[in-house]
Amino acid sequence: MADVLSARAILDRLVEFPTVSRDTNLPLVDWVEDYLASHGIKAHRYVDPDQPKAALFAHVGPLVEGAVVLSGHTDVVPVDGQPWDTDPFSVVERDGKLFGRGTCDMKGFDAIAIWGLVEAHRRGVARPLQLALSFDEEIGCTGAPPMIEAMQKVLPKGSAVIVGEPSTMQAVTGHKGGQGFNTHVIGFEVHSSLMHTGVNAIMSAARLIEWANATNAANQAAEPTALAAMFDPPWTTVHVGMIEGGTAHNITAKDCRFSMDFRAVAGESLSDWRARYLAEVRAVEADMQAVHPEARIEISERFSVPALEPEQDGEAETLVRALTGDNARHVVSYGTEAGQFQDAGYSAVVCGPGDIAQAHQPNEFMTVAQFEAGQAFMDRLVSRLQDR
């Protein structure tokens, strides 16, 4: 008979896999698939065609539609350059905290969800439960959409999705959407003493960055909608976090590369913000080409994550509120895969153990109390599924 691991033992095992987004997650996926198989649960994969990564999903209970879906991601952010006091890929319990990369974001929930799936299978449930573990969430939620599409081809479609990002077990019913663009400004090099005959890519890029500053100021000054007012900050933000370029101080820069990212409040269209940015890009590019026709600006979309829109009497929200007793309204400004499930026709909510403030940090941790609260929540969910 297969060993039944505790949620904590599963967490210890998951953290041991260094599933940094730049690296493979296949050893973790192999382990989870084997563990579920040892309990008679068949798992399915979506294998990325371009890299050694896979999503994993499974179903227990009656083969009917309407399952509750437990959604988590397997990848974690790097630890490079961070001053850790312990081995980041080993769970260390100290002072009521569980330290380790991903304990909070979000292998803590993954472990609880795997435990819950096995419990649901062992106890028997009248309403099905599904597990969905994605990849590449940390680099723009790029692994979830193909996973969701693959799930619907193999499993009966679920109806309520619980995305277990750290929310201190509060029911988060809305989050901002996000999109990011790699922007490559290509100028024309001349000696800086003759800069009027060349095109300085850095100075042209600066015009787009100043557009971002002006847009932020205008958004902040505008009266927010009732929906936008729920967020902190209550407006769409435009951000440049990385920039590089130039050859020497006395040459007009041939190249400048930077990222332009948007965090759009729910209710605003990401496609509209994309159109606004591209219009500004083309205006700057036209001025560059008026000096030299070879100058140009190249844009590529790095990620696009839809907002989670608050639902009117949403099934997922109603379920989580019943299990947690949390009836307050909560929204967040970070993005999750919940909006992608919602776009695919699922009711979705974010609810998971841990505090997002600990995510991505050196000495990342989840408190033991939060981990236990997450497991108690999962136990109540499985009991509820037994009854209906």
Side-chain angles (χ1 to χ4, degrees), residues 71-334:
S71 166
H73 61 81
T74 60
D75 58 319
V76 296
V77 297
V79 299
D80 308 43
Q82 292 188 334
W84 281 75
D85 297 329
T86 61
D87 178 359
F89 297 109
S90 179
V91 178
V92 175
E93 182 173 347
R94 188 177 64 218
D95 301 326
K97 300 173 182 177
L98 301 171
F99 293 91
R101 174 55 87 221
T103 52
C104 178
D105 185 19
M106 63 179 296
K107 291 180 177 179
F109 177 81
D110 292 347
I112 292 167
I114 294 167
W115 175 85
L117 193 77
V118 172
E119 280 298 296
H121 184 63
R122 291 175 65 237
R123 298 185 202 176
V125 287
R127 181 181 178 182
L129 184 66
Q130 294 180 355
L131 175 72
L133 299 179
S134 69
F135 60 91
D136 282 355
E137 190 274 348
E138 297 291 4
I139 57 174
C141 297
T142 58
M147 176 191 71
I148 295 168
E149 181 179 0
M151 286 175 63
Q152 295 183 65
K153 295 177 180 178
V154 177
L155 304 180
K157 186 173 180 178
S159 58
V161 179
I162 302 171
V163 177
E165 292 282 0
S167 71
T168 62
M169 297 309 300
Q170 295 178 329
V172 172
T173 59
H175 65 62
K176 290 186 176 183
Q179 63 183 345
F181 300 95
N182 292 325
T183 305
H184 182 192
V185 183
I186 302 166
F188 184 75
E189 290 180 311
V190 297
H191 193 279
S192 60
S193 65
L194 298 171
M195 63 177 292
H196 65 290
T197 65
V199 179
N200 189 315
I202 291 176
M203 296 181 74
S204 295
R207 289 179 56 188
L208 295 173
I209 296 171
E210 180 51 33
W211 173 83
N213 287 327
T215 300
N216 283 328
N219 288 353
Q220 183 175 0
E223 183 72 22
T225 65
L227 181 56
M230 298 170 60
F231 292 87
D232 181 22
W235 62 83
T236 294
T237 57
V238 192
H239 178 251
V240 175
M242 297 180 66
I243 186 169
E244 63 177 6
T247 303
H249 73 277
N250 59 349
I251 302 174
T252 57
K254 172 70 179 302
D255 296 285
C256 183
R257 294 178 172 87
F258 64 91
S259 59
M260 182 72 77
D261 294 354
F262 296 79
R263 299 278 182 176
V265 294
E268 293 188 3
S269 165
L270 289 177
S271 61
D272 287 348
W273 279 108
R274 182 182 190 275
R276 288 182 60 179
Y277 180 52
L278 291 183
E280 194 67 22
V281 165
R282 296 311 165 213
V284 172
E285 182 181 62
D287 289 344
M288 294 166 59
Q289 292 178 341
V291 177
H292 200 283
E294 293 182 12
R296 63 192 185 279
I297 303 176
E298 297 177 350
I299 301 291
S300 62
E301 186 173 87
R302 194 171 74 258
F303 70 91
S304 181
V305 181
L308 174 63
E309 302 278 353
E311 302 169 5
Q312 184 69 35
D313 300 320
E315 179 187 352
E317 174 187 350
T318 300
L319 173 63
V320 166
R321 291 196 187 285
L323 293 169
T324 62
D326 175 23
N327 291 313
R329 299 180 71 186
H330 307 285
V331 298
V332 294
S333 291
Y334 58 82

Side-chain angles (χ1 to χ4, degrees), residues 326-351:
D326 175 23
N327 291 313
R329 299 180 71 186
H330 307 285
V331 298
V332 294
S333 291
Y334 58 82
T336 78
E337 295 171 338
Q340 294 169 321
F341 274 100
Q342 192 178 64
D343 271 8
Y346 298 79
S347 174
V349 68
V350 176
C351 183

